Amino acid sequence: MSLVELIARADERGLAVSGLACLDRCVPLLGGGDEVLRPLWASLAQAAPAGDWARRLEQARGTLDPAADGADEAVALAHRMLADAPAERSAAGLREWADDCSVAALRIHRLLDGSGDDSALAGARRDDRPDGLSPLLAAELRRQLTVLELLAAHGPGGLRGALEVSTEGRRILRAVVSRRSRRDG
């Protein structure tokens, strides 16, 4: 099943996890530590009271300061993912956010890899074919698919696996950002 189809079929928790996982993998661009989004993950793991997601989201926004640096498109995209996260965990708002985060995370990986334009992204998301994508970009596509597949197959039980996939992706992106920073001086 394609990424677009998985997002279309995902339930509220799957959509929240999908968007959060994309954002979590891009935290190195926001200057955040590995634990900054952990409270949001925790709110998805438990039967949290209404408003808990919104409260924890505001804490993350305060920690990460959503003011985007216009000079760097990848950083601006990551900031937009955080700024656009819906305070209410409703399927409609989360579906749009998860889809936007998916596209943004793929664009970020493409920008950091310095590979081509965005023309292959739509086809890769729709057809689940990483043909012509750089290894970094293809790996991000696989991570997004894996997160949604884990949640579709295991429900709340897939959350731990989704977090592990996201953590691996964050480490990879942190290394890419560090290498880019050293290169650009």
Side-chain angles (χ1 to χ4, degrees):
M1 196 175 308
S2 76
L3 184 57
V4 171
E5 292 169 323
L6 285 169
I7 290 172
R9 292 181 182 196
D11 64 6
E12 180 184 297
R13 177 179 278 137
L15 294 167
V17 170
S18 176
L20 180 58
C22 288
L23 176 60
D24 194 18
R25 287 190 295 276
C26 295
V27 159
L29 292 168
L30 301 174
D34 290 346
E35 301 298 317
V36 71
L37 297 178
R38 193 63 77 147
L40 282 168
W41 284 100
S43 75
L44 296 173
Q46 52 194 294
D52 194 51
W53 166 266
R55 182 180 56 78
R56 293 176 187 207
L57 180 59
E58 279 308 309
Q59 288 173 339
R61 285 179 176 149
T63 302
L64 293 172
D65 182 21
D69 175 4
D72 190 318
E73 185 180 354
V75 173
L77 285 166
H79 279 290
R80 194 169 316 129
M81 281 194 280
L82 178 62
D84 291 349
E88 182 181 329
R89 277 183 44 192
S90 67
L94 288 169
R95 190 169 318 283
E96 182 179 345
W97 181 61
D99 192 56
D100 290 348
C101 285
S102 169
V103 172
L106 289 167
R107 287 190 71 211
I108 286 167
H109 282 75
R110 185 199 54 81
L111 287 165
L112 292 176
D113 198 28
S115 58
D117 59 26
D118 288 345
S119 62
L121 296 182
R125 291 181 74 241
R126 187 183 53 252
D127 302 331
D128 187 24
R129 290 188 310 190
D131 302 341
L133 300 180
S134 70
L136 183 68
L137 193 50
E140 173 59 16
L141 178 64
R142 278 192 306 275
R143 280 189 287 278
Q144 289 186 25
L145 286 163
T146 300
V147 164
L148 286 161
E149 289 167 347
L150 282 167
L151 291 160
H154 304 289
L159 193 61
R160 181 180 299 267
L163 179 57
E164 290 171 2
V165 168
S166 184
T167 300
E168 172 199 7
R170 185 176 352 100
R171 287 183 188 132
I172 291 167
L173 194 71
R174 189 174 307 283
V176 170
V177 168
S178 176
R179 190 171 45 248
R180 181 182 184 209
S181 178
R182 284 193 309 272
R183 180 195 72 207
D184 295 344

